[in-house]
Amino acid sequence: MFFTIQTIARHEFLALRKQKTFTLLLCVFLVMTLFSTYIGWSTRHTILSIYDETVKQMAAGGITEIPVNPFLAAPALSVLKNMVVYVLLIGTLLSIIVGHSAFARERRAGVVKILFSKPFSRTVFVLGKMAGILFVLALVMAASFIISLLSVSLISSRLLSMAETFRLFVFYGVSLEYVLGFAMLGFLFSITAKSESLALLIPVMIWVLINFVMPQLSSALDPASLLNPTSIRAVLPQSHFFTTIRTVIAPVSISESYKLMGQTLLESDNYVFPVWSSIIFLVILVACCVHAIKKFNVCEKEITE
Amino acid sequence: MLTIAKKEYLDSMKSQLFLVLLAFLLLLTATSIVVASFDFQNKLAEYNQALQTLKALGKNPDVSAPRFFPLKMLRGTVNYLEIIGAIIGIILGYISIAKEKGKNTLQLLLTRPIGRYDIVSGKVLGNSILIFSVLAVTAVTIYLIMWSVGGVQISTPELIKLGLVILASHFYVMFFFCMASFLALKFSSLPNALIFSVVIWLTFVLLIPQIGDTMDPDNQIPGGFFKSMQVTKIQEKNILTKFQTYETIRNALEESSVTKHYERLSFALLGIKDLYNNKNLGMIFQDKWPDVLWLAVFFLMALLGEYFLLARNARILHNR
């Protein structure tokens, strides 16, 4: 069984490597990783100068009570705060496409019948595909981890400490688990949807619900504001309506849990791991994929447009 | 051309995919208006509570109560139109070409006395009417929700402004339609064309505005950096003049996104930007004509790109 899983996973990896669009999205993600360090550094550099200028003007105006610099004690990793948003946006979309193409490719080529005539169970097929996807996404996250590690060390002119490196490692590890859930979402709908557009569109709609609608319902922040990493620390409305919604949504709002985890790891000294919801999300999706593939009718026509 | 346009319209109206998207857009519109109205109630309640506390302490605060402007409730709706509206445009644009390429019906169509430009013009016209119908349904939904849930009557000038936002939304969605159909025509692999369109969507709609927003010095602290420093708007402007290069780069980045132009124009028309609240159209357009122009330029570039592609290589209609 292990050998079969390994073979399917290897095939998946090789097939994805040849895919131009995967390479394109991968490049976008890695460039944004590098860019996020630059944006973080440039913004911090500017805001510190703006603070100094503000203090100068306040002092000139005779104000003696000057607020403390809110950015002085920011940890080195906080320049990477945009990565939380990029994993949510690009990482998850990249994963949906990776998961989608894992089965859509077989359906498009019309080889599903031949594939399932081989002596292995369909559960093994899903596990093999999942292992292949996991391997590919782990490589993406590893590359992103190295880029972040090097770029932050470079801009802070020192090597990151063991504790900081570990935090960064944990951040990318949790990100990998998070995006794997979305890959399985793409995989699930490539099995169940009748057309390729629907197979891509439904996961994207669920992506919108998870990343925008659920957080908006509990925080009242509009979708554009939710993309600013500062919004994670925004004061939440305390009315009965919003507190009730929050109580209901919080356990299933995986994007909010992920954002909180990312913000805590990169911007504070505490550890918060409210990632159970995304682990449960992943387990449910894997189970759904196994169920869907068992029910999949090999005589069905190949996926359209 | 008109026959193709009619067929295109009817095909999409029957499509399960299109109906799912329309329902999703309406659901998001309703959600964002309801959330915005509860948020306003919450702010009003907080204001009243703070006022009572201050009065009990013997103080007489001169802060005015939050005022209700119905069109301001549409901030989330505009954001969802930016995201979902663009997806609708991409899906319709992609399907309009993919269905013909997939079934090889373009060759059949070309055996008829129809010019190759007529095919594309028919598709653009049919989908343009369809997208306008979707946006009109959204506008009616907005009106009905405001009227039935909040009992809000929208005045005639506000209705005109809402209508103009719908018109801007139409050109915005049509840009993505033309861009997606251009890519579906250009690429020999249809899934690659779709995914490439998604990458462009991600860049224009989410990444560029996100970078611009994150680089905004005032957005570094919840509630605003300058507010936390108790700096007035005039002082803020004075301080930022010393960081003109940074602000220019940030602004240039935002200007490169069609979404940001659409958002700036819509926010001004709806009065979401306080500066334009309750202002007449003349004053709004005096400031916002560059955004109108850029929106038109983006749309025309994508539309003419399609015709240019056909003019250079008519054989792409035969490729599968």
Side-chain angles (χ1 to χ4, degrees):
Chain A
M1 188 178 105
F2 179 73
F3 183 70
T4 317
I5 292 176
Q6 200 185 15
T7 312
I8 298 169
R10 193 164 162 263
H11 171 259
E12 189 55 38
F13 172 68
L14 292 173
L16 273 170
R17 217 181 54 176
K18 284 181 198 157
Q19 215 174 309
K20 277 184 202 160
T21 42
F22 169 72
T23 316
L24 177 75
L25 269 169
L26 176 65
C27 290
V28 172
F29 186 70
L30 295 182
V31 166
M32 287 316 289
T33 304
L34 191 62
F35 206 47
S36 85
T37 317
Y38 175 74
I39 297 169
W41 169 80
S42 157
T43 312
R44 185 192 286 182
H45 183 74
T46 310
I47 195 74
L48 284 174
S49 306
I50 290 176
Y51 174 80
D52 290 342
E53 184 59 35
T54 312
V55 169
K56 222 189 278 176
Q57 292 213 8
M58 286 170 98
I63 299 167
T64 48
E65 250 181 66
I66 311 267
V68 185
N69 186 342
F71 311 102
L72 212 56
L77 290 180
S78 66
V79 290
L80 290 171
K81 61 182 180 183
N82 273 309
M83 266 322 285
V84 180
V85 178
Y86 297 148
V87 169
L88 278 179
L89 292 181
I90 318 170
T92 47
L93 275 179
L94 171 81
S95 308
I96 287 175
I97 289 168
V98 167
H100 165 82
S101 54
F103 195 63
R105 198 175 45 241
E106 323 282 16
R107 284 181 78 180
R108 226 182 285 136
V111 294
V112 182
K113 246 185 211 178
I114 306 165
L115 206 64
F116 288 158
S117 66
K118 301 269 176 186
F120 58 77
S121 77
R122 292 186 183 193
T123 309
V124 167
F125 175 76
V126 172
L127 292 177
K129 285 283 182 188
M130 197 181 142
I133 293 168
L134 177 66
F135 185 64
V136 169
L137 294 178
L139 280 181
V140 173
M141 288 300 162
S144 201
F145 167 72
I146 292 167
I147 291 172
S148 297
L149 189 68
L150 294 177
S151 55
V152 176
S153 299
L154 196 71
I155 58 157
S156 51
S157 312
R158 66 173 174 91
L159 281 175
L160 289 184
S161 69
M162 281 301 283
E164 285 168 326
T165 310
F166 179 69
R167 271 171 176 270
L168 195 60
F169 181 77
V170 173
F171 169 71
Y172 279 109
V174 180
S175 300
L176 173 63
E177 184 277 321
Y178 185 72
V179 296
L180 187 62
F182 284 87
M184 295 319 286
L185 191 70
F187 186 58
L188 175 68
F189 284 97
S190 71
I191 303 166
T192 50
K194 298 279 179 230
S195 78
E196 190 139 11
S197 315
L198 267 180
L200 266 175
L201 189 75
I202 298 171
V204 171
M205 280 163 69
I206 296 174
W207 176 85
V208 171
L209 283 173
I210 290 173
N211 283 333
F212 297 103
V213 181
M214 281 171 143
Q216 188 193 18
L217 279 170
S218 57
S219 68
L221 287 169
D222 57 275
S225 307
L226 287 165
L227 296 178
N228 190 325
T230 313
S231 70
I232 305 167
R233 290 178 281 144
V235 180
L236 299 172
Q238 294 302 320
S239 70
H240 179 66
F241 173 80
F242 288 110
T243 43
T244 312
I245 294 253
R246 263 202 298 280
T247 314
V248 178
I249 282 182
V252 288
S253 185
I254 58 168
S255 71
E256 281 178 293
S257 305
Y258 172 76
K259 277 203 267 187
L260 185 63
M261 182 282 310
Q263 192 254 333
T264 328
L265 277 170
L266 300 175
E267 291 188 72
S268 80
D269 296 327
N270 306 320
Y271 280 94
V272 175
F273 293 110
V275 289
W276 285 110
S277 52
S278 64
I279 293 174
I280 294 167
F281 176 69
L282 174 64
V283 171
I284 291 171
L285 279 169
V286 173
C288 287
C289 287
V290 171
H291 179 74
I293 208 88
K294 280 184 177 169
K295 292 272 170 197
F296 184 78
N297 180 5
V298 286
C299 296
E300 218 169 78
K301 274 199 292 183
E302 65 183 77
I303 198 160
T304 54
E305 40 81 10
Chain B
M1 186 180 88
L2 286 175
T3 315
I4 295 171
K6 192 179 162 195
K7 186 184 179 296
E8 199 67 19
Y9 183 86
L10 293 174
D11 273 0
S12 295
M13 285 296 273
K14 283 182 218 155
S15 147
Q16 191 189 8
L17 183 75
F18 170 73
L19 294 174
V20 168
L21 272 171
L22 176 62
F24 192 56
L25 181 63
L26 295 180
L27 176 78
L28 294 181
T29 303
T31 308
S32 63
I33 296 174
V34 170
V35 168
S37 60
F38 274 104
D39 188 39
F40 179 77
Q41 280 178 18
N42 181 54
K43 279 179 184 149
L44 198 63
E46 276 176 5
Y47 169 82
N48 287 331
Q49 203 178 0
L51 196 70
Q52 276 177 359
T53 313
L54 288 170
K55 275 185 178 170
L57 290 169
K59 290 181 179 172
N60 196 18
D62 58 348
V63 185
S64 54
R67 284 179 67 196
F68 180 74
F69 295 103
L71 295 186
K72 268 192 158 190
M73 304 284 113
L74 300 180
R75 189 188 183 115
T77 308
V78 171
N79 283 162
Y80 280 128
L81 276 170
E82 285 169 9
I83 300 169
I84 300 297
I87 294 181
I88 291 181
I90 287 173
I91 295 288
L92 288 175
Y94 167 77
I95 288 179
S96 72
I97 301 297
K99 67 182 176 193
E100 310 286 1
K101 272 190 169 181
K103 293 175 193 162
N104 272 334
T105 43
L106 274 175
Q107 278 110 320
L108 185 70
L109 261 174
L110 287 166
T111 60
R112 308 265 164 161
I114 308 168
R116 59 189 181 203
Y117 297 115
D118 286 339
I119 298 174
V120 173
S121 303
K123 284 182 180 292
V124 171
L125 181 67
N127 282 288
S128 174
I129 297 167
L130 180 78
I131 288 166
F132 197 80
S133 317
V134 169
L135 293 168
V137 171
T138 311
V140 172
T141 310
I142 290 168
Y143 184 83
L144 288 175
I145 293 171
M146 286 196 170
W147 177 70
S148 59
V149 178
V152 179
Q153 286 289 339
I154 301 177
S155 65
T156 311
E158 285 172 333
L159 269 179
I160 293 170
K161 284 178 179 174
L162 183 62
L164 288 171
V165 170
I166 294 298
L167 195 65
S169 309
H170 178 252
F171 283 105
Y172 173 72
V173 179
M174 279 307 290
F175 160 73
F176 283 96
F177 170 87
C178 294
M179 183 270 295
S181 50
F182 169 84
L183 291 174
L185 274 172
K186 175 91 183 153
F187 279 54
S188 51
S189 158
L190 285 170
N192 280 357
L194 182 62
I195 292 169
F196 202 77
S197 302
V198 171
V199 172
I200 293 179
W201 167 78
L202 184 72
T203 311
F204 273 150
V205 179
L206 298 171
L207 290 182
I208 294 176
Q210 192 273 342
I211 295 170
D213 196 43
T214 315
M215 283 175 74
D216 189 341
D218 203 28
N219 281 346
Q220 303 307 310
I221 287 180
F225 167 73
F226 291 108
K227 207 174 175 186
S228 78
M229 297 291 287
Q230 292 165 351
V231 165
T232 62
K233 276 276 168 199
I234 301 164
Q235 284 173 314
E236 180 187 328
K237 268 192 175 174
N238 276 340
I239 293 164
L240 287 178
T241 48
K242 303 213 167 171
F243 299 90
Q244 208 61 54
T245 315
Y246 180 84
E247 280 294 294
T248 309
I249 293 171
R250 193 177 77 79
N251 192 48
L253 197 69
E254 290 193 343
E255 296 264 324
S256 65
S257 163
V258 63
T259 306
K260 212 63 200 175
H261 290 292
Y262 163 70
E263 185 182 284
R264 285 176 179 177
L265 177 63
S266 303
F267 279 11
L269 283 166
L270 297 171
I272 293 166
K273 264 265 183 224
D274 287 336
L275 181 67
Y276 302 101
N277 205 354
N278 267 350
K279 294 287 184 296
N280 63 40
L281 287 174
M283 196 207 149
I284 293 171
F285 283 116
Q286 200 177 359
D287 274 12
K288 292 291 159 192
W289 68 265
D291 293 310
V292 178
L293 189 70
W294 275 114
L295 198 56
V297 167
F298 271 102
F299 165 66
L300 286 174
M301 261 166 49
L303 179 68
L304 295 177
E306 259 186 284
Y307 287 111
F308 184 67
L309 194 65
L310 280 178
R312 280 191 61 188
N313 187 4
R315 288 183 64 191
I316 50 171
L317 287 176
H318 300 275
N319 289 346
R320 184 168 177 176

